């Protein structure tokens, strides 16, 4: 379970931090929001984000994570439309 404050690693190097997290009942997993940064503080884009392999450090143990720029639930907004 994520709580917020956990380190995000990209390709083994520190790349960011979880800012908030909660259990996502509709996704069946924990969902976290995080800031991700390039090691040289360069401006990053979707291609850079999608090219990496990510892990999160929870209590000293690393777990693989999926990173997306899209909403994880209802990405096309079909459920909120009449």
């Amino acid at each position: 379970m994520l709580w917020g404050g956990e380190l995000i690693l990209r390709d083994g190097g520190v790349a960011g931090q979880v800012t908030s997290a909660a259990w996502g009942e509709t996704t069946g997993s924990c969902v976290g929001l995080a800031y991700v940064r390039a090691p040289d503080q360069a401006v990053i884009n979707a291609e850079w984000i999608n090219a990496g392999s990510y892990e999160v450090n929870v209590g000293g143990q690393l777990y693989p994570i999926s990173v997306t720029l899209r909403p994880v639930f209802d990405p096309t907004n079909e459920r909120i439309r009449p």
Side-chain angles (χ1 to χ4, degrees):
M1 181 68 182
L2 300 173
W3 298 100
E6 295 86 359
L7 288 178
I8 302 292
L9 289 86
R10 180 183 186 271
D11 299 332
V14 174
Q17 188 172 16
V18 176
T19 58
S20 60
W23 178 256
E25 189 62 35
T26 56
T27 63
S29 63
C30 191
V31 177
L33 300 175
Y35 284 109
V36 177
R37 295 175 290 280
D40 58 2
Q41 301 302 312
V43 175
I44 60 174
N45 58 25
E47 182 179 325
W48 184 88
I49 290 172
N50 293 329
S53 174
Y54 295 88
E55 298 173 301
V56 63
N57 184 324
V58 179
Q61 187 167 348
L62 298 177
Y63 295 92
I65 58 172
S66 298
V67 176
T68 182
L69 297 173
R70 298 183 57 154
V72 293
F73 177 71
D74 192 24
T76 60
N77 289 324
E78 293 297 318
R79 294 185 60 114
I80 61 171
R81 294 184 183 165

